[in-house]
Amino acid sequence: MGVQKHCSPETSGGAKSLYKSSVYSTPGPLAVRTKSRPHKLMGGHTEEAVEMKEIDMRSFSFSHHHNFPYKVGVPPKQKFWTEFSAAVKETFFPDDPLRSFKDQSRSRQFVLGMQAVFPVFEWGRRYNFDKFKGDLIAGLTIASLCIPQDIGYSKLANLSPQYGLYSSFVPPLVYAFMGSSRDIAIGPVAVVSLLLGTLLQNEIDPETNAVEYRRLAFTATFFAGITQATLGILRFGFLIDFLSHAAVVGFMAGAAITIALQQLKGFLGIQKFTKNTDVVSVMHSVFSSAHHGWNWQTIVIGATFLAFLLFAKYIGKKNKKLFWVPAIAPLVSVVLSTFFVYITHAEKKGVAIVKHIEKGINPPSAKEIYFTGKYLLKGVRIGIVAGIIALTEAVAIGRTFAAMKDYQIDGNKEMVALGAMNIAGSMTSCYVATGSFSRSAVNYMAGCQTAVSNIVMSVVVFLTLQFITPLFEYTPNAILSSIIISAVIGLIDYDAAILIWKIDKFDFIACMGAFLGVVFASVEIGLLIAVTISFTKLLLQVTRPRTALLGKIPRTNVYRNIQQYPEASKVPGVLIIRIDSAIYFSNSNYVKERILRWLTDEEERVKATGLLSIQFLIVEMSPVTDIDTSGIHALEELHRSLEKRDVQLVLANPGPVVIDKLHASKFTTLIGDDKIFLTVADAIQTCSPKFAEELLDGLLAKELMLMMAGKF
């Protein structure tokens, strides 16, 4: 097969003659003419049907093999401000949040604005008693779960028990008015509590300087809220997506194990325990105190109720209708263990108890926040880290349950709501609150209808703070440790880790890196590893984009990756390469070198086999969404390199942004407008006409054989 050197439309004139010789010259019943009445042909089809088929085939022939391939369109030139404003809108306002405000009166716009900031004004109009019944049951159920969890989580943050309860009173109320999720349950969570406690105690010792430690906690909470609200207002919510799902899975699993190991202090009744969180330090502290530091009465209490809690979770998992069993199990455990310790005076046998919990609602704490001094920047740093982690967890939970109930939540509005509730919380003696997965799952299964379930939970917590807290005085620390251990087990997602391994090995490395960093170093090191690996993967994908060698799928006019379709055949004298990424300064040199390497490998192959040498290099640019000046410069260098090898550069299907920049840079003039085609098939037809004729011949022969066999 010969290949004509010049890539021009005049070289492909054989398409029509080929069609005529293979159709119009065919003797017998296929040489049909238009008649006034239909005649039966082979297979029971009429002359008119066959004639219509011939028209379809002529249309196919003309659309795919006509003399003049369709030219790639250049979009009309836009004004700079129009183009810039469109880019900004697509980046920060892809959901067009102001759409509903168009063509509305000022009063209506004010109402819509209030509904946007406070969604309660929108769904509250449709609220009824039936929905309240569902919210009441759900709110009471999650309250029974949150009260014992809050007391335990506050210990993770190295704060007194009442601060955990405070954080389930004010923040849920604020979120109920500003949040858009119907299912998320707000309050302290294990991972954020541990992270906050770890970062805070690195700055201030909570035992020797409890007041300053508490003030720094409120400061960090305030700036966590500022961070969350700022990301939402400035529409920067997409930044949290830079922490990959795989890294989050590993980080959560590592944090779960770290939290569980930390609970061994209360579970075993150890008095002196390490402040480090890595597994080596914790296990050394545990075993070094085995002979004299463990308390067997504490172990019996902890082990008994841990078995009870795990059994309750098992029942709830086996029968979804019994979801309330694991939900109320922690509160039942607290009541029973407290009663047991009270009547047996086990605290005199070395069983550690909660002791005093302050009675009353949240005291104001705005004056305790550090706005100046040496702890200000430390509070800002800790707040940003804790705020982003809390934000990532809450948005992920909200999206999960929204998808299950088929409604939409606005990620940026959620960030504003979470930020506002933490700002308010920091001024009312709360520490960082966010969405809890375990409580949200119970909330969902209990039949919640709106965010009113959070209000019900807050009311129950309010009543607890006002009247019931003295009853928790004899609650053993071991039961709180058991509740936390049973809660964090669910954070270890084995199935997700296995799926990550099957899908993407690099993602699995990110997952395990974050996991091992948390377990063997610290929470902040694990978080740093997670972020670093996520960015590393992103940089690798940007700087080392995939390229593919294309071939023609048999009996079609389609060109695809020959690795995915081994039956695809290469076109003699032509090398077809697809670039699967935008071409930027970060990858332009790699793209050029990779294309030249493909060409070198192919030239060596055809030389060894005695095939026709490469004369055309077609670059399939459909996946190339954008190109910058470095990318265009790389294409110019590629063109010069190909000229030295006597190979012509051809482009196929550049997108509107790409073709506009190629024209602006005069690159199209450099290679010639006749070297840019709408499809690879058009490029092959023009640059390698004999191959295109054989392709058309094969397609028409197949159509004719089907017609003669009566399969139309």
Side-chain angles (χ1 to χ4, degrees):
M1 181 189 301
V3 179
Q4 296 191 21
K5 182 63 179 173
H6 296 288
C7 193
S8 61
E10 287 74 12
T11 61
S12 57
K16 281 189 175 180
S17 62
L18 175 64
Y19 177 81
K20 289 180 178 180
S21 64
S22 59
V23 177
Y24 284 96
S25 300
T26 302
L30 292 179
V32 296
R33 297 173 179 81
T34 304
K35 298 289 185 181
S36 59
R37 63 184 180 87
H39 289 273
K40 291 286 184 178
L41 297 179
M42 295 176 62
H45 294 276
T46 63
E47 285 184 349
E48 290 178 350
V50 176
E51 184 173 3
M52 291 302 296
K53 190 61 189 178
E54 289 183 0
I55 293 172
D56 290 342
M57 291 174 64
R58 288 197 295 271
S59 299
F60 171 83
S61 173
F62 183 76
S63 64
H64 290 275
H65 300 281
H66 54 80
N67 287 342
F68 301 100
Y70 201 87
K71 292 294 183 183
V72 176
V74 181
K77 193 67 177 177
Q78 293 182 334
K79 294 181 179 179
F80 170 76
W81 178 250
T82 303
E83 188 175 354
F84 177 76
S85 59
V88 171
K89 180 180 178 181
E90 187 61 28
T91 301
F92 298 103
F93 306 96
D95 54 343
D96 195 8
L98 301 179
R99 181 187 305 171
S100 59
F101 290 80
K102 295 178 181 177
D103 303 323
Q104 299 290 340
S105 63
R106 289 192 175 182
S107 59
R108 180 57 182 166
Q109 288 179 347
F110 175 78
V111 172
L112 291 173
M114 291 297 294
Q115 290 177 350
V117 178
F118 301 101
V120 65
F121 291 129
E122 181 179 359
W123 56 260
R125 295 179 303 165
R126 301 184 298 273
Y127 199 71
N128 53 45
F129 185 71
D130 289 335
K131 291 183 178 180
F132 176 71
K133 287 191 293 185
D135 288 333
L136 178 63
I137 295 172
L140 292 174
T141 307
I142 59 176
S144 67
L145 178 63
C146 85
I147 291 171
Q149 283 187 348
D150 290 345
I151 296 174
Y153 291 159
S154 62
K155 289 186 174 295
L156 286 176
N158 300 313
L159 293 168
S160 299
Q162 65 268 18
Y163 293 103
L165 295 172
Y166 292 161
S167 301
S168 280
F169 174 44
V170 173
L173 288 176
V174 176
Y175 182 85
F177 286 90
M178 299 186 66
S180 58
S181 173
R182 307 171 194 167
D183 303 278
I184 195 169
I186 298 298
V189 297
V191 173
V192 176
S193 298
L194 175 67
L195 177 65
L196 194 65
T198 303
L199 295 176
L200 290 173
Q201 74 176 3
N202 289 339
E203 305 297 338
I204 301 175
D205 190 331
E207 295 180 1
T208 60
N209 206 340
V211 175
E212 288 193 356
Y213 180 91
R214 186 175 65 244
R215 292 186 63 186
L216 185 59
F218 296 153
T219 305
T221 302
F222 175 81
F223 286 106
I226 292 292
T227 300
Q228 293 168 336
T230 302
L231 289 175
I233 293 171
L234 298 181
R235 315 289 291 184
F236 282 167
F238 60 87
L239 292 178
I240 66 173
D241 294 331
F242 281 98
L243 195 60
S244 69
H245 171 69
V248 171
V249 169
F251 175 79
M252 290 296 184
I257 291 178
T258 300
I259 292 168
L261 291 175
Q262 290 287 309
Q263 299 316 301
L264 292 178
K265 175 184 178 182
F267 190 84
L268 301 175
I270 301 173
Q271 298 296 324
K272 294 182 179 180
F273 201 74
T274 180
K275 293 182 179 180
N276 297 326
T277 59
D278 63 284
V279 63
V280 176
S281 299
V282 170
M283 297 312 296
H284 179 267
S285 181
V286 168
F287 289 113
S288 64
S289 59
H291 297 293
H292 54 83
W294 294 11
N295 182 276
W296 69 267
Q297 294 94 336
T298 302
I299 296 174
V300 170
I301 295 173
T304 301
F305 284 101
L306 178 59
F308 169 71
L309 291 168
L310 294 177
F311 180 69
K313 291 186 72 173
Y314 174 78
I315 292 176
K317 189 175 293 185
K318 292 291 289 185
N319 189 344
K320 298 297 183 183
K321 293 182 179 179
L322 298 177
F323 67 89
W324 54 270
V325 173
I328 67 170
L331 187 59
V332 171
S333 299
V334 168
V335 172
L336 292 178
S337 62
T338 302
F339 179 72
F340 175 78
V341 170
Y342 178 75
I343 63 174
T344 61
H345 294 286
E347 76 280 4
K348 296 180 180 179
K349 302 290 181 65
V351 176
I353 58 176
V354 172
K355 296 181 180 177
H356 178 66
I357 299 180
E358 288 189 15
K359 188 178 177 181
I361 61 172
N362 309 32
S365 58
K367 294 182 179 179
E368 295 189 36
I369 299 174
Y370 287 114
F371 290 108
T372 58
K374 63 179 181 179
Y375 291 123
L376 172 61
L377 292 180
K378 295 177 180 179
V380 172
R381 177 178 59 82
I382 296 172
I384 290 174
V385 174
I388 291 177
I389 293 299
L391 199 59
T392 303
E393 187 171 359
V395 172
I397 293 170
R399 287 173 178 171
T400 299
F401 289 104
M404 293 170 67
K405 283 191 175 180
D406 194 25
Y407 67 91
Q408 298 292 326
I409 65 170
D410 188 325
N412 290 293
K413 287 183 182 178
E414 284 294 285
M415 294 175 192
V416 174
L418 293 166
M421 76 179 193
N422 277 315
I423 292 173
S426 69
M427 299 180 180
T428 52
S429 300
C430 304
Y431 71 94
V432 180
T434 186
S436 166
F437 186 82
S438 59
R439 281 180 239 172
S440 299
V442 171
N443 198 30
Y444 170 80
M445 291 186 289
C448 71
Q449 300 295 316
T450 66
V452 171
S453 60
N454 276 291
I455 298 178
V456 174
M457 180 188 70
S458 294
V459 171
V460 174
V461 173
F462 165 76
L463 295 175
T464 301
L465 285 167
Q466 284 289 80
F467 306 108
I468 305 177
T469 50
L471 300 179
F472 291 112
E473 181 178 349
Y474 288 94
T475 300
N477 289 338
I479 191 62
L480 300 178
S481 298
S482 299
I483 291 171
I484 293 174
I485 291 172
S486 66
V488 299
I489 287 176
L491 295 177
I492 305 174
D493 197 340
Y494 304 99
D495 294 333
I498 293 172
L499 185 62
I500 290 170
W501 166 260
K502 292 179 179 179
I503 295 175
D504 192 321
K505 300 301 185 289
F506 196 97
D507 263 357
F508 185 76
I509 293 174
C511 178
M512 293 306 299
F515 172 78
L516 296 174
V518 173
V519 171
F520 287 99
S522 63
V523 176
E524 58 267 36
I525 294 297
L527 182 60
L528 180 62
I529 292 175
V531 173
T532 301
I533 294 179
S534 296
F535 269 98
T536 300
K537 181 183 179 182
L538 180 64
L539 289 174
L540 285 176
Q541 290 178 336
V542 171
T543 58
R544 294 295 183 267
R546 296 182 184 275
T547 57
L549 199 61
L550 306 186
K552 186 184 77 66
I553 303 295
R555 298 179 299 280
T556 70
N557 205 22
V558 177
Y559 294 81
R560 292 292 182 265
N561 189 341
I562 61 175
Q563 287 187 342
Q564 184 178 3
Y565 300 95
E567 68 275 15
S569 59
K570 297 178 181 178
V571 180
V574 180
L575 181 64
I576 311 169
I577 297 174
R578 188 183 67 216
I579 304 172
D580 293 336
S581 169
I583 306 177
Y584 293 127
F585 66 93
S586 58
N587 62 20
S588 58
N589 193 53
Y590 170 81
V591 168
K592 180 196 69 174
E593 292 178 351
R594 188 68 185 92
I595 292 175
L596 291 175
R597 194 157 71 249
W598 277 119
L599 178 60
T600 301
D601 293 342
E602 189 66 13
E603 285 178 336
E604 291 176 355
R605 188 187 70 83
V606 299
K607 185 177 180 180
T609 55
L611 298 175
L612 186 66
S613 62
I614 302 299
Q615 299 183 27
F616 296 99
L617 190 148
I618 301 176
V619 180
E620 219 296 42
M621 302 189 73
S622 299
V624 181
T625 56
D626 200 358
I627 190 170
D628 63 3
T629 53
S630 298
I632 294 174
H633 184 64
L635 289 181
E636 292 172 348
E637 292 181 351
L638 175 64
H639 174 66
R640 288 193 291 268
S641 298
L642 294 178
E643 281 186 327
K644 295 177 182 178
R645 300 188 185 202
D646 200 24
V647 176
Q648 295 191 45
L649 176 62
V650 179
L651 304 182
N653 196 27
V657 175
V658 175
I659 193 64
D660 183 49
K661 292 183 178 181
L662 293 180
H663 272 279
S665 64
K666 307 298 182 183
F667 181 76
T668 53
T669 305
L670 178 65
I671 66 171
D673 286 323
D674 59 339
K675 304 290 179 58
I676 303 176
F677 297 91
L678 185 63
T679 65
V680 173
D682 283 346
I684 294 296
Q685 170 199 343
T686 307
C687 298
S688 185
K690 290 189 177 181
F691 179 83
E693 289 176 6
E694 291 187 3
L695 170 64
L696 178 59
D697 191 13
L699 290 171
L700 293 177
K702 178 184 176 183
E703 298 289 317
L704 291 172
M705 289 176 65
L706 291 173
M707 289 173 61
M708 295 180 68
K711 293 184 178 179
F712 284 100

